[in-house]
DNA sequence: ATTATCTATAGATCTATAGATAATGC
DNA sequence: ATTATCTATAGATCTATAGATAATGC
């Protein structure tokens, strides 16, 4: 009548049991945070989804902030180092003459591949990052984990666009990151808007378009250093339009 | 000793008093929602900021969801109709030959003018919309109020890019809206990242760049209808990069 | 002996409502 | 007479902790 004979589960060591429970908690928190944001989820919600008591959440994570940090940290290193590697590889491969699109493909498509092929957990992580990126806590996590890889990308972009001002490059990157995070959120807005022509789940469609779009945008920002050719409304028209 | 002689406030009618209190509540809620999201703010937080009792929030708005809707509705009509007017005006002005950048300027710059010149309340509304756009409630509000103006923009973009597929146009718009909303959020991430070269508060800098960037991106999406000329990695390389 | 999990509970906070009070409106 | 505002409070929910129970580890 020993438990190990009647139980369906194969015997687990404590370390295995701990690791499995931790992972189920992180998965559940990742999913719920991605749907409802940091403040839209309670520890009770997560515990309920996992099927354990709330106090076990405290046992493993102490408090909610540290659960949030653990969800972020679990996967952030992987995506960061994959992209750093891809950028390194591209730098060597391009023979000192990087292109904007090449750099962006190393940065964006490498990540998209992970979300396309990495399973639901990775897609939830992406949506989680997108959802919390606007909150102060989320922004701090993004800075902490991703600034190195972003700065590396920006270094390569500067080489690819030698005449371009730093301000144009940084603003251009800001637009790129906004669009990218929005896509990762998979909110379904494009599905409604397009009447089903596009699906926000379709990362392959994004991969086909995002880097090309953004490369053209960045390049266009930098082709007119003096801004002389830019169409510009008169001050009077601007004032009139303002209200 | 009549109150109206000792009081600093000039006498207000009940209608005025009601309107003023409502506006202070909406302002406070708008600000707090923009910083902490829908679920990061309690009715108590809003009441505290206004200096009234929580129960007065219920008196005016019944519950939190309707406060949220009221904050959204107060300004959504203005920005929507301003942009519809600008797109109408551009359609007439362009003589049947719209450009991508012209359409985007009518759509984006008209809104940016409002946030540049409309005062802090309008900038808070913009950040509020950006912050909640990822939540289910916020996405529903966006759909409800902004789909008409977005579909009008898309109609003009189709005229400006006659050979372009619907899917490319919708995905392109999705990138535009992601970048735009990200900028409206003014999270300060670009300030840190650029070491102070760019400030997320600087909407004039955004206006100088956003429409130009996005026009080039959209155009680049559509110049290769068959996708034959697009640089494409082999399936083997894609598989290798995926992990 | 150690650790994974659960029970019980305190204290804080939040939403919502009923009813009192103090203004303005005729 | 009506309405803007406040007081008091019920009930729900949430966080966090102390301590009990039931496994695994030597």
């Amino acid at each position: 009548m020993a438990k190990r004979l009647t139980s369906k589960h194969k015997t687990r060591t404590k370390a295995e049991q701990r690791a499995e429970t931790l992972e189920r908690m992180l998965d559940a928190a990742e999913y719920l945070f991605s749907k409802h944001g940091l403040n839209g989820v309670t520890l009770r919600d997560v515990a309920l989804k996992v099927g354990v008591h709330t106090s076990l959440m405290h046992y493993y994570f102490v408090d909610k902030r540290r659960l949030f940090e653990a969800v972020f940290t679990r996967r952030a290193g992987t995506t960061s180092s994959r992209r750093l590697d891809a950028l390194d590889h591209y730098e060597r491969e391009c023979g000192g003459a990087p292109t904007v699109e090449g750099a962006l493909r190393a940065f964006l498509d490498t990540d998209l591949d992970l979300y396309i092929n990495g399973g639901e957990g990775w897609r939830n992580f992406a949506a989680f990052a997108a959802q919390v990126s606007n909150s102060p806590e989320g922004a701090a996590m993004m800075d902490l984990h991703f600034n190195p890889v972003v700065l590396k990308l920006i270094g390569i972009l500067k080489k690819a666009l030698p005449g371009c001002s730093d301000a144009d490059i940084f603003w251009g990157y800001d637009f790129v990151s906004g669009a990218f995070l929005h896509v990762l959120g998979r909110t379904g807005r494009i599905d409604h808007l397009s009447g089903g022509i596009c699906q926000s789940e379709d990362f392959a469609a994004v991969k086909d378009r995002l880097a090309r779009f953004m490369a053209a945008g960045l390049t266009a920002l930098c082709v007119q250093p003096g801004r002389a050719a830019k169409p510009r409304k008169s001050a009077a028209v601007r004032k009139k339009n303002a209200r």
Side-chain angles (χ1 to χ4, degrees), chain A residues 16-36:
Chain A
E16 283 168 352
Q17 195 167 352
R18 176 189 184 88
E20 282 169 29
T21 303
L22 270 167
E23 199 158 334
R24 284 196 301 146
M25 286 171 171
L26 290 169
D27 287 344
E30 188 171 65
Y31 172 79
L32 290 170
F33 283 143
S34 82
K35 292 290 182 198
H36 309 108

Side-chain angles (χ1 to χ4, degrees), chain A residues 133-184:
Chain A
S133 65
N134 290 326
S135 74
E137 301 90 343
M141 284 288 106
M142 302 273 291
D143 282 348
L144 183 63
H145 288 98
F146 298 138
N147 273 6
V149 64
V150 171
L151 289 171
K152 173 150 192 105
L153 167 67
I154 284 173
I156 302 178
L157 290 176
K158 283 186 188 177
K159 264 189 229 159
L161 293 164
C164 195
S165 74
D166 283 3
D168 282 337
I169 301 247
F170 279 112
W171 276 117
Y173 171 75
D174 206 46
F175 302 158
V176 171
S177 93
F180 188 42
L181 283 166
H182 173 75
V183 163
L184 295 184

Side-chain angles (χ1 to χ4, degrees), chain A residues 8 39 90 127 161 220 226:
Chain A
K8 284 176 175 179
N39 295 304
Y90 180 68
L161 293 164

Side-chain angles (χ1 to χ4, degrees), chain A residues 41-108:
Chain A
V41 179
T42 68
L43 290 174
R44 201 170 149 273
D45 294 332
V46 181
L48 212 80
K49 191 168 166 66
V50 175
V52 295
H53 199 272
T54 311
S55 59
L56 203 60
M57 303 298 304
H58 292 286
Y59 174 71
Y60 280 118
F61 297 105
V62 180
D63 59 22
K64 190 172 162 182
R65 159 174 287 270
R66 264 173 278 194
L67 169 62
F68 166 73
E69 289 172 6
V71 172
F72 210 106
T73 303
R74 174 170 63 152
R75 301 196 200 260
T78 301
T79 153
S80 174
S81 64
R82 274 172 52 93
R83 287 186 285 175
L84 279 169
D85 288 351
L87 289 168
D88 274 340
H89 182 261
Y90 180 68
E91 260 188 325
R92 274 181 272 111
E93 186 191 58
C94 73
T99 66
V100 177
E101 182 166 344
L104 286 175
R105 287 204 178 275
F107 184 83
L108 298 171

Side-chain angles (χ1 to χ4, degrees), chain A residues 157-235:
Chain A
L157 290 176
K158 283 186 188 177
K159 264 189 229 159
L161 293 164
C164 195
S165 74
D166 283 3
D168 282 337
I169 301 247
F170 279 112
W171 276 117
Y173 171 75
D174 206 46
F175 302 158
V176 171
S177 93
F180 188 42
L181 283 166
H182 173 75
V183 163
L184 295 184
R186 291 177 292 145
T187 61
R189 274 202 80 209
I190 194 176
D191 306 50
H192 309 151
L193 199 65
S194 72
I197 293 173
C198 306
Q199 287 104 32
S200 63
E201 302 285 336
D202 185 1
F203 281 172
V206 174
K207 191 181 166 188
D208 270 354
R209 294 171 174 89
L210 188 62
R212 193 150 42 99
F213 183 113
M214 295 297 155
L218 261 165
T219 305
L221 268 197
C222 300
V223 288
Q224 299 148 306
R227 304 250 144 67
K230 200 188 62 181
R232 196 151 209 171
K233 287 176 183 156
S234 73

